[in-house]
């Protein structure tokens, strides 16, 4: 069988996308030798409420990655109606590109949640999990959980990365309080948030 492509998937709600997401994707690309990283905003999430409308989240992702060679926007999940599930996305991608090896890029917290997602065993079969272990994490707990998931078929690569104390929740709260966010998101995203008056009335 000819060698397949190595493609990363950086999935997220991206409400909004921020420098932590971009650093995570860049570290994965560099450490795992990924040819391309697909930035894949989620569509409807049955797990999150009051999420900003999809088109605006997509616009921000598009602005954030436009100067990064190797980062591509993927609208697979936003074009789908109904809830999006990672197993369905991977099934779709693998059917279209059977020789491609997919690497699903996540924060290590996801190791503790993924068993509650739909068909985790299919996710383990179709993608390698690339987990960011930020430098304040409990490494032993992550290793123990990772070993248990590996025994259920998961392939996990651990990424070392510095902790960037940024979250989308915190960014929304800062915007609402009038605190500058210019160090937390790319300038184009900060400008878009201001221009579209996003998050000023967040609950
Ligand atoms: P998100 O909040 O936008 O975050 C995206 C990723 O970036 C997460 O893995 C997150 O890890 C990481 N991240 C956030 N802040 C970071 C920082 N400062 N430094 C480094 N990494 C950071 O997206 P999400 O809602 O968690 O969704 C992630 C993916 O999981 C999406 O593709 C979604 O569709 C999928 N998902 C699937 C199911 C399902 O199939 N049932 C359920 C839930 C989610 P941390 O969480 O560790 O911060």
């Amino acid at each position: 069988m000819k060698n397949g492509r190595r493609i990363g998937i950086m999935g997220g709600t991206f409400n909004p996308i921020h420098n932590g997401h971009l650093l995570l994707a860049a570290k994965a690309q560099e450490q795992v030798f990924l040819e391309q990283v697909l930035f894949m905003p989620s569509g409807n999430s049955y797990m999150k409420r009051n999420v900003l409308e999809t088109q605006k989240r997509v616009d921000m992702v598009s602005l954030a990655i436009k100067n990064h060679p190797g980062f591509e926007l993927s609208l697979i999940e936003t074009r789908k109606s109904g809830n999006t599930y990672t197993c369905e996305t991977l099934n779709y991608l693998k059917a279209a590109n059977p020789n491609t090896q997919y690497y699903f890029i996540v924060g290590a917290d996801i190791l503790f949640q993924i068993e509650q997602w739909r068909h985790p065993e299919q996710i383990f079969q179709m993608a390698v999990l690339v987990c960011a272990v930020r430098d304040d994490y409990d490494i032993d707990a992550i290793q123990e959980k990772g070993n248990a998931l590996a025994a259920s078929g998961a392939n996990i690569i651990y990424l070392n990365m510095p902790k960037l104390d940024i979250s989308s929740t915190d960014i929304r709260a800062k915007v609402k309080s009038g605190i500058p966010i210019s160090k937390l998101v790319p300038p184009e995203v900060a400008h878009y948030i201001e221009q579209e008056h996003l998050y000023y009335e967040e609950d």
Side-chain angles (χ1 to χ4, degrees), residues 9-21 23-24 40-43 45-48 77 84-89 104-110 113-114 116-118 123 132 134 137 161-168:
I9 300 173
M10 179 71 220
T13 311
F14 300 133
N15 186 28
I17 189 165
H18 58 63
N19 293 341
H21 298 129
L23 180 69
L24 172 53
M40 191 178 286
S42 54
S45 169
Y46 66 104
M47 288 185 161
K48 292 194 179 180
E77 294 197 344
T84 50
Y85 299 100
T86 300
C87 65
E88 289 179 0
T89 304
F104 191 61
I105 305 165
V106 292
D109 287 348
I110 271 179
Q113 300 156 15
I114 200 163
Q116 275 71 55
W117 293 8
R118 181 174 283 196
I123 299 176
R134 287 169 247 173
Y137 277 7
M161 81 173 261
K163 179 177 163 60
L164 267 197
D165 201 3
I166 309 179
S167 76
S168 298

Side-chain angles (χ1 to χ4, degrees), residues 91-112:
N91 268 310
Y92 171 86
L93 284 170
K94 279 302 269 186
N97 308 295
N99 288 331
T100 297
Q101 177 63 62
Y102 288 100
Y103 295 82
F104 191 61
I105 305 165
V106 292
D109 287 348
I110 271 179
L111 297 181
F112 298 93

